[in-house]
Amino acid sequence: MPIFRNFTILTLALDGSVSDAKAKLIFAVEAPERWKLRMPGLRAPVDYKEEPLRHPSLRINSLEPFNAEPQRLDLVSSYITPADFFYKRNHGPIPLVHDIGRYSVTITGLVDGSKDLTMSDIWKLPKHTVTCTLQCAGNRRTAMSKIKKVRGVGWDVAALGNAVWAGAKLADVLELVGVPMCSHVTPNGGRHVEFVSVDKCKEENGGPYKASIPLSQATLPDADVLLAYEMNGETLNRDHGYPLRVIVPGVIGARSVKWLDQINITVEECQGFFMQRDYKMFPPTVDWDNIIWSTRRPQMDYPVQSAICSLEDITMIKPGMMKIKGYALSGGGRGIERVDVSVDGGKTWFEASRYQKPGIPYVAGDENSDKWAWVLFEAEAKILNDTDIVAKAVDEGANVQPENVDEIWNLRGILNTSWHRVHVQIGRSNL
């Protein structure tokens, strides 16, 4: 295992002055008698003085660390979410690349020999693109907290985004260390692939964020797991994992680790905080005084979900025809079979239109549809009185959103997939 040490180093400037700086030196054991010293190309700041610029319209839910989501209407203004409006989920200061030429990812663990991959090595692998929606497990947490207090970032309905990711398939990368495609176990007994970031998380006592997925998923080409270096045709920005991040389609966003530092092949799933003491689904009867974390598996898949984004929770409108817009998605690559909308609080329903790419009809499960991506929906109705407008989605597995949030309340406020309700009042429009 690598051993980390902090050293104070002296640097000599061109004008002859001397300054000191903290640098992380990594000693990697290649054999008992050999040590390799390398300077990392990626570092994690210890404070928030070097944060990137963000779009001023974002709803900031936490400043340090920075967690924010777009306005509802901005979210559904296009099928592909611009990087500026893609939700920001962080657990510490944003890492910095000071020398991309020195940056590398170490693959180690239960494989035949460790391997360091530079960005040049990864760029040489076949490049794949995947259109994929990432959704924070805590999306719509604020509505759940109105039933009973929960812990976590207070997300509205926009803690998700849909992007075109590009990079190397993880299955191709693992073949470089002798792990065949479609493997369930390595010859040395490895069954899980752990991703370790370089950031610093208070939940990990200052250590890095980490998560894992089963080896069977990591080595399955059709699972489309990527080591991504591009987002929407451009190099990843810092907020979204520059220079390299993991994209795991169809599961909660917590497993798509950013600022990748190590890939470890292990016997057991990751034992980090965010796999073992967070992001687990407990029943409403469990609270902080009786929770036993080991009784639940880490959450991976997410249920069918939808939300109305053209209206706030309470909106003043003029009487007449109104367009109702939003998004719907489901985990595991399941398409959206139907989005139902009600303008009388759920008494009667009609079906909304669904779409992804312009000019191509959306059909759930069709080869021309993006299986890992959301759909946007639109409906039109005449609103003459104060009322509740409701949306619910059904995926191609016939899974439907639960009606009430209290049925799925959990102490961490994750996976609020209940019917989404907004209230409109007739009066002076604020749209």
Side-chain angles (χ1 to χ4, degrees):
M1 292 290 293
I3 302 171
F4 298 86
R5 295 288 186 267
N6 284 327
F7 293 84
T8 301
I9 61 173
L10 298 179
T11 59
L12 182 64
L14 293 177
D15 61 2
S17 62
V18 176
S19 62
D20 65 340
K22 289 287 183 183
K24 182 177 73 173
L25 304 184
I26 301 177
F27 292 84
V29 180
E30 294 181 341
E33 70 280 3
R34 293 185 62 195
W35 295 75
K36 182 177 72 174
L37 175 66
R38 72 177 175 93
M39 286 288 294
L42 180 66
R43 67 176 177 87
V46 296
D47 54 38
Y48 295 91
K49 296 178 180 178
E50 300 175 280
E51 293 288 280
L53 296 175
R54 280 95 177 200
H55 198 280
S57 72
L58 293 175
R59 297 185 182 191
I60 299 175
N61 299 321
S62 166
L63 192 59
E64 294 181 356
F66 190 82
N67 291 284
E69 61 190 301
Q71 304 295 324
R72 294 183 181 187
L73 266 176
D74 289 336
L75 179 66
V76 295
S77 62
S78 62
Y79 173 60
I80 299 300
T81 311
D84 282 349
F85 294 143
F86 205 99
Y87 78 105
K88 323 294 182 193
R89 179 67 175 113
N90 301 298
H91 296 274
I94 306 301
L96 281 160
V97 173
H98 62 79
D99 187 347
I100 192 64
R102 292 177 182 262
Y103 170 76
S104 65
V105 174
T106 300
I107 306 176
T108 187
L110 298 173
V111 291
D112 294 330
S114 298
K115 190 175 186 67
D116 289 336
L117 294 179
T118 65
M119 286 305 301
S120 294
D121 296 325
I122 293 168
W123 290 330
K124 290 175 184 176
L125 293 170
K127 181 179 179 180
H128 295 269
T129 60
V130 176
T131 302
C132 169
T133 301
L134 295 183
Q135 177 181 218
C136 179
N139 191 30
R140 298 182 58 198
R141 179 178 282 133
T142 52
M144 188 173 281
S145 66
K146 293 176 182 177
I147 302 300
K148 183 180 176 182
K149 186 178 180 181
V150 299
R151 293 184 187 177
V153 177
W155 297 107
D156 187 45
V157 305
L160 76 170
N162 187 50
V164 179
W165 309 95
K169 282 198 175 183
L170 181 58
D172 290 335
V173 172
L174 293 179
E175 277 200 317
L176 299 178
V177 290
V179 181
M181 291 190 184
C182 303
S183 297
H184 286 74
V185 59
T186 68
N188 296 325
R191 294 181 179 274
H192 296 268
V193 181
E194 179 185 60
F195 311 112
V196 183
S197 180
V198 76
D199 63 349
K200 299 179 183 295
C201 307
K202 63 179 181 181
E203 296 90 346
E204 293 283 6
N205 297 316
Y209 186 98
K210 46 192 166 183
S212 67
I213 61 174
L215 183 73
S216 57
Q217 182 180 11
T219 59
L220 182 65
D222 287 347
D224 290 329
V225 181
L226 294 183
L227 298 190
Y229 45 79
E230 288 183 4
M231 177 184 184
N232 297 340
E234 298 182 351
T235 301
L236 287 172
N237 65 29
R238 286 178 58 204
D239 263 326
H240 297 299
Y242 177 75
L244 194 67
R245 69 169 299 165
V246 183
I247 295 295
V248 187
V251 307
I252 62 172
R255 311 310 175 207
S256 292
V257 176
K258 298 185 284 187
W259 313 295
L260 191 60
D261 185 46
Q262 293 182 33
I263 299 174
N264 301 322
I265 311 301
T266 61
V267 174
E268 297 181 316
E269 65 195 11
C270 172
Q271 296 300 299
F273 179 90
F274 296 101
M275 288 286 288
Q276 301 303 326
R277 297 182 64 81
D278 203 354
Y279 299 124
K280 293 185 176 185
M281 188 68 171
F282 286 89
T285 53
V286 173
D287 214 327
W288 295 102
D289 58 353
N290 64 352
I291 188 171
I292 303 175
W293 288 102
S294 61
T295 61
R296 292 292 184 275
R297 298 294 303 277
Q299 187 67 39
M300 302 299 284
D301 203 344
Y302 55 81
V304 62
Q305 169 78 288
S306 71
I308 298 166
C309 294
S310 54
L311 298 163
E312 297 297 321
D313 288 344
I314 300 176
T315 306
M316 297 290 292
I317 64 169
K318 294 178 180 179
M321 298 301 295
M322 165 179 284
K323 285 188 176 180
I324 302 161
K325 299 179 180 181
Y327 64 78
L329 70 160
S330 192
R334 297 180 295 275
I336 297 300
E337 188 64 32
R338 197 173 79 241
V339 178
D340 297 327
V341 174
S342 172
V343 294
D344 56 10
K347 296 176 183 177
T348 61
W349 301 87
F350 60 97
E351 191 171 344
S353 62
R354 297 155 296 141
Y355 61 96
Q356 285 186 336
K357 294 167 282 190
I360 301 177
Y362 173 78
V363 179
D366 187 80
E367 63 180 9
N368 292 317
S369 299
D370 293 327
K371 67 178 292 186
W372 305 115
W374 65 7
V375 301
L376 300 182
F377 70 82
E378 185 172 321
E380 194 169 20
K382 182 180 286 188
I383 309 295
L384 301 177
N385 302 295
D386 296 0
T387 190
D388 287 336
I389 300 177
V390 190
K392 62 180 174 70
V394 182
D395 70 18
E396 63 179 299
N399 302 297
V400 64
Q401 294 174 246
E403 180 176 354
N404 299 311
V405 65
D406 54 347
E407 300 171 1
I408 53 173
W409 183 93
N410 59 90
L411 76 174
R412 274 290 281 117
I414 66 170
L415 303 184
N416 178 11
T417 57
S418 59
W419 295 1
H420 188 227
R421 304 170 183 268
V422 296
H423 184 72
V424 293
Q425 298 176 347
I426 299 300
R428 191 181 185 90
S429 174
N430 57 7
L431 290 178

